[in-house]
């Protein structure tokens, strides 16, 4: 008992002592091997040092300011937007949307979540949506940003909803793009698959399996060569120097989204200005692959879930459905998506 509390004490002291020195400090290089992910991002990468769960971890993000010519009446807090990626994408996957938002003068912040892309891949971590929201808020605190728009896609959409529930006073508006978590998968009968089993599936990922998944869920069984960029990007993480731990973290993250539903909490967003964008042909449902056929049949009907969720949030929610698109309208039909976004 004494020994273990001494140990905890010395770990904490140790963490405090090295706190200033672990993460790469700016001005950062454009490319980096952090997180075992060699891939060039178009804007400089910064790292937020997090002292979390008895570890020091570095969370990567891009913070891009509009150029001077568009600054005009630009006021930092009012015109900031943070873009949260999904589980199979990275911050950089928002590059085209970021360009569209920079021109009217938005400051755009694009984090990579812990365990994903250029952020650290912890050997062990208690992943929760709340913990990821808190980590991400730490970046905003460092930047002194107290008020902003948040947009999240897929798992990032689920996370952005959780963020807005935790920090409503910071969020001027919330945009969810094909968020996951619109239904409670376990309540609908998705069987529990152990983290160890999910890990084995993650470890077996390759170009063929990732493309097959994205083709069927993201792109309505179509394939445009431009989609390959994001498959190959993801492969760099699956096949990077942290490949094994990445697969494990991905399994922990899948377990997180399945065991921590938000579907019942959407009315908590009723006071917030919300835009929900959904592809009507999206059929994403976590755990569908390992569910029996009768359960598979009732999962992932975004054409129903989208309007149901908009109704649950209430009249402050604007609902936009693209009936012909899948899980990633911002990639599949960027012009239509950006028009809806800027229109709102
Ligand atoms: C976004 O990045 C991808 C991958 O590097 C690239 O193919 C695409 O042209 C970029 N889009 C914009 C608008 O910069
Ligand atoms: C944030 O505000 C604090 C206190 O006013 C200041 O010391 C710090 O330099 C600011 N940081 C940034 C990034 O503006
Ligand atoms: C890719 O993964 C799938 C499923 O995990 C497997 O069936 C297939 O043989 C793999 N393909 C290659 C080229 O390794
Ligand atoms: C919409 O949001 C505002 C605050 O932004 C709130 O006063 C109003 O009650 C909300 N409307 C509904 C129907 O919840
Ligand atoms: C870390 C890792 O899994 N690296 C692999 C990446 O892919 C090449 C072949 O394409 C393998 O040789 C590496 O072992």
């Amino acid at each position: 008992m004494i020994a273990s509390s001494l140990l905890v004490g010395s770990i904490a002291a140790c963490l405090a002592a090295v706190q200033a020195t672990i993460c790469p400090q700016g001005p950062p290089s454009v490319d980096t091997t952090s997180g075992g992910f060699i891939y060039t991002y178009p804007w400089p990468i910064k790292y937020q040092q997090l002292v979390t769960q008895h570890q020091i971890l570095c969370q990567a993000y891009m913070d891009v300011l509009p150029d001077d010519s568009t600054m005009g009446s630009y006021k930092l807090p009012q015109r900031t937007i943070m873009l949260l990626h999904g589980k199979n994408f990275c911050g950089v996957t928002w590059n085209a949307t970021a360009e569209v938002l920079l021109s009217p003068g938005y400051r755009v912040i694009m984090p990579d979540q812990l365990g994903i892309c250029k952020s650290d891949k912890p050997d062990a971590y208690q992943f929760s949506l709340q913990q990821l929201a808190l980590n991400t808020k730490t970046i905003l605190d460092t930047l002194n940003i107290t008020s902003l728009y948040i947009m999240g896609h897929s798992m990032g959409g689920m996370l952005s909803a959780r963020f807005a529930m935790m920090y409503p006073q910071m969020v001027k508006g919330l945009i969810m793009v094909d968020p996951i978590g619109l239904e409670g998968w376990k309540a609908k009968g998705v069987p529990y698959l152990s983290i160890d089993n999910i890990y084995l599936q993650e470890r077996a990922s390759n170009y063929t399996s990732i493309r097959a998944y994205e083709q069927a869920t993201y792109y309505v069984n179509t394939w445009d060569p431009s989609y390959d960029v994001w498959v190959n990007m993801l492969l760099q993480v699956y096949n990077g120097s942290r490949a094994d731990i990445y697969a494990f973290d991905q399994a922990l993250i899948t377990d997180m989204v399945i065991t921590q539903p938000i579907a019942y909490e959407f009315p908590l967003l009723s006071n917030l200005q919300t835009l929900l964008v959904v592809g009507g042909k999206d059929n994403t449902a976590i755990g569908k692959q390992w569910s029996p056929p009768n359960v598979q049949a009732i999962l992932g009907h975004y054409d129903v879930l989208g309007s149901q969720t908009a109704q649950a949030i209430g009249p402050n929610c604007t609902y936009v459905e693209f009936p012909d698109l899948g899980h990633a309208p911002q990639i599949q039909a960027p012009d239509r998506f950006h028009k809806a976004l800027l229109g709102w």
Side-chain angles (χ1 to χ4, degrees):
M1 209 49 198
I2 290 168
S4 81
S5 68
L6 277 177
L7 184 59
V8 169
S10 64
I11 288 172
C14 218
L15 289 180
V18 289
Q19 196 167 338
T21 58
I22 296 276
C23 299
Q25 296 299 304
S29 60
V30 171
D31 206 3
T32 163
T33 61
S34 178
F37 178 39
I38 301 172
Y39 189 90
T40 304
Y41 279 18
W43 295 290
I45 298 141
K46 297 181 184 173
Y47 291 91
Q48 175 64 48
Q49 192 153 295
L50 300 167
V51 180
T52 170
Q53 301 187 20
H54 283 191
Q55 305 177 61
I56 296 181
L57 298 170
C58 308
Q59 180 169 3
Y61 66 97
M62 291 178 282
D63 171 18
V64 191
L65 294 170
D67 66 44
D68 291 342
S69 61
T70 55
M71 288 289 269
S73 60
Y74 169 69
K75 299 227 183 5
L76 275 177
Q78 277 69 32
R79 304 220 57 176
T80 298
I81 184 163
M82 179 166 70
L83 310 180
L84 301 181
H85 63 78
K87 181 173 168 287
N88 295 320
F89 282 168
C90 298
V92 67
T93 311
W94 284 114
N95 66 334
T97 301
E99 298 278 10
V100 165
L101 291 164
L102 286 165
S103 24
Y106 282 89
R107 176 185 189 176
V108 184
I109 301 185
M110 291 162 277
D112 286 351
Q113 292 305 319
L114 270 192
I116 301 183
C117 303
K118 288 195 183 282
S119 289
D120 274 349
K121 317 273 177 298
D123 292 340
Y125 201 64
Q126 176 81 29
F127 279 96
S128 69
L129 292 163
Q130 283 88 339
Q131 177 73 70
L132 295 184
L134 174 63
N135 294 346
T136 303
K137 178 175 174 288
T138 309
I139 295 173
L140 301 176
D141 292 345
T142 297
L143 300 173
N144 291 339
I145 292 168
T146 55
S147 172
L148 78 169
Y149 290 90
I150 299 190
M151 173 157 68
H153 167 243
S154 189
M155 186 192 79
M158 188 178 189
L159 178 59
S160 67
R162 176 58 68 201
F163 188 102
M165 289 169 194
M166 290 170 71
Y167 309 111
Q169 70 290 349
M170 288 182 80
V171 183
K172 281 177 63 75
L174 172 67
I175 303 131
M176 294 181 285
V177 185
D178 290 86
I180 58 168
L182 302 185
E183 59 190 335
W185 303 293
K186 64 189 163 80
K188 286 191 164 175
V190 171
Y192 182 68
L193 190 67
S194 74
I195 289 167
D196 306 272
N197 272 307
I198 301 173
Y199 158 77
L200 292 176
Q201 293 185 359
E202 290 284 351
R203 203 68 181 100
S205 297
N206 57 34
Y207 174 83
T208 314
S209 65
I210 295 172
R211 174 176 159 160
Y213 177 77
E214 293 191 359
Q215 188 163 338
T217 55
Y218 289 42
Y219 306 120
V220 201
N221 290 314
T222 66
W223 197 260
D224 184 278
S226 66
Y227 304 157
D228 270 324
V229 162
W230 307 122
V231 176
N232 290 322
M233 172 197 72
L234 193 58
L235 274 173
Q236 291 299 313
V237 205
Y238 274 111
N239 190 27
S241 62
R242 294 290 283 163
D244 188 52
I245 298 302
Y246 175 63
F248 181 62
D249 284 347
Q250 287 284 79
L252 293 176
I253 288 168
T254 299
D255 186 75
M256 168 187 85
V257 298
I258 287 181
T259 57
Q260 302 174 20
I262 59 162
Y264 316 101
E265 296 175 63
F266 283 111
L268 294 172
L269 300 176
S270 65
N271 286 337
L272 203 62
Q273 295 306 306
T274 312
L275 172 66
L276 175 60
V277 181
V278 153
K281 294 263 191 307
D282 187 0
N283 57 12
T284 303
I286 308 305
K288 190 164 72 173
Q289 300 109 299
W290 64 79
S291 294
N294 62 319
V295 173
Q296 288 190 351
I298 61 169
L299 298 178
H301 297 287
Y302 270 72
D303 51 344
V304 177
L305 295 170
S307 52
Q308 247 174 30
T309 304
Q311 216 161 26
I313 297 172
N316 282 328
C317 179
T318 304
Y319 180 58
V320 173
E321 183 175 324
F322 296 113
D324 55 322
L325 300 182
H327 188 60
Q330 77 277 29
I331 307 293
Q332 202 184 356
D335 292 344
R336 287 161 67 193
F337 172 76
H338 293 137
K339 191 163 168 242
L341 176 66
L342 294 179
W344 181 73

